[in-house]
Structures are given as C-alpha cells and as structure tokens.
Amino acid sequence: MRRLVTVGSVSGAPGVTTTALALGVAWPREVDGGVRPVMVEADGSGGDLMMRFGLPPAPSLLDVAAAVGKPHPGSLLGAVSELPFGVRAVAAVPGRRPCTEAVKLLAAEGGQRLLLGEDGDQGTVLLDVGRLGEDTVPLLRVADQVVVVARGGAEPLTHVSAYGLEAEAFAGRLMLAVVGPCPYPADEVAGALGIEKVVFLPWDAKAVAAMTRPRRGALRTTGFRVRPLMAAAQLLARQLSGPQEAEPETPADGQRRRSPAAAVRDEGSPSWARG
C-alpha cells in the first residue's frame, strides 16, 4: 500500500500547498521502489493548481471522489497531471462546494482505500488538505505522517497551541513545519506545543516562483546552487520517508506525554505568549 503524508494548517495560509509541492520535488528517489510521489490537492476550500498551470478541468479531484463508490473505482494515478517542474499532482477545481464534498468522500473508508491503493501498490501520496477541520480528521487518523504547517510568529504558533492537537493520539506521526523566520528555538516550540518534531523551512521567493510559473523548468535538489527551500525540503522528505517506529502510549519513565495545553499550563507560558 502507498504511504500517506497529510499536510495541513490550523489557520491562515502559511504555505501548505508550497510545502507539499516542495516535498514532491525533493522526495528521495531511492524509496518506494523508485515510484515518484503524487501530490493530491484535497483542500475543501478549492484548488489552486488548475488555474495556476492552466490544467484541464478533468481529470481532477472530483473524478477521484466520484469513483469512490463504484465497484471498480480505478487507479488514483488516472487523474494525475504532470506539473512543469516535475511533480505529479491530482488537481482540484477552484470551487469550494464541490471540493468540500470531494474531501468528505475521500475521508470515508472507500476514499481512503483509493488513496492507499492495493497491497502491491508502492509510492507516497502527499495529501494537501489545506486548513484542518472536521472533514479531514479521518484522513489524519489513517495517515502515516501528519505535517502541520505554520508561520514562525507569536500569533500563528499560539493558534497551533489553541487548536489542541493531541500529540499522544498521533503516536509519533506528528510534525510541525515552521515556514519563514522564527525567533524561537525548535526545542522551545516543541516543548510548549507538545509536538516532538519541529522543522524549519526558509521562505525562499525564488523557489516559490519556480513552483508557480507555467513554463517548464527543474528545481535542483543536489549539487551546486540548491535553493534553501529545496535543501530543507529534502531533509524533511528523508525524515518522512524513513522507517517509522510507533511510540508507546506510555514512555519507559511511566509519565504520559502531555497535551500542548498541559505543557503550557504546567511549565508556564512560552516566550511568544508572555507580555
């Protein structure tokens, strides 16, 4: 079955789609039997890729969702488009209403099976769900890895804390990707939010521009002149694609892991929340 990596945010527009695309570019070629990952634009508020790259309205996320209830739904790969910089993607239409319904279908049991494929299927699905919400909860539960994207300022990090992601429920599958400048060290962010894995992705205007222009071109991930975002995305991709070991509910010291709210309450407010 395919690996499922869900990428989303709790508020604002911190760069979820850009992060998922960067992971698609930087995904290690030696994993998954050499099968390239597929980025699926499953944002209930509507997609961007179709308009950005002038893709046809079909096949799209709607075609994938429409196949969920069929006896023979076919392959997810049948809806893939090739983006100019070498990423395979399933694009969503711009409209909110049809995309919301499509995400609900994907989150159901039949949709999960379509995303994960059969026992012999290899590869990784990078699922861009946009803003996390009730409709995305089943997809978070079934994902091998969950990447929450946030900016590095006080307000965005406080929103992540207030959202109440229960790190215990994810059993080591949860990672926070902080985009852009962040004045706080990773260990402080991790301790305050109760998220063990915190990575930083630099804001890289040239790399973002390369992932938004319709003309064909490649983004380097090795050799000289690798863009900072690509270098960081490559490190993140290697962490996500490596062997995962489930963490026990109760560590060896007998102390259950605290929720983000408990971490702040017991040890005092993090520096971004202090006056």
Side-chain angles (χ1 to χ4, degrees), residues 4 106-108 112 133-143:
L4 182 63
L106 282 182
Q112 294 175 18
E134 184 178 350
D135 293 339
T136 65
V137 169
L139 295 169
L140 301 183
R141 289 174 179 164
V142 75

Side-chain angles (χ1 to χ4, degrees), residues 45 47 53 59 116 123 126 133 141 158 178 205 207-208 215 219 233-234 247 250 265-266:
S45 64
F53 298 107
L116 297 173
L126 302 168
R141 289 174 179 164
T158 300
V178 180
V208 172
R215 67 177 183 269
L219 282 164
Q234 187 174 50
E247 296 183 9
T250 305
R265 183 177 62 248
D266 294 346

Side-chain angles (χ1 to χ4, degrees), residues 152 157 176 178 182-192 198-200 271-272:
L157 293 174
L176 178 67
V178 180
C182 182
Y184 316 108
D187 56 352
E188 181 180 346
V189 176
V198 176
V199 298
F200 294 103
S271 62
W272 64 79

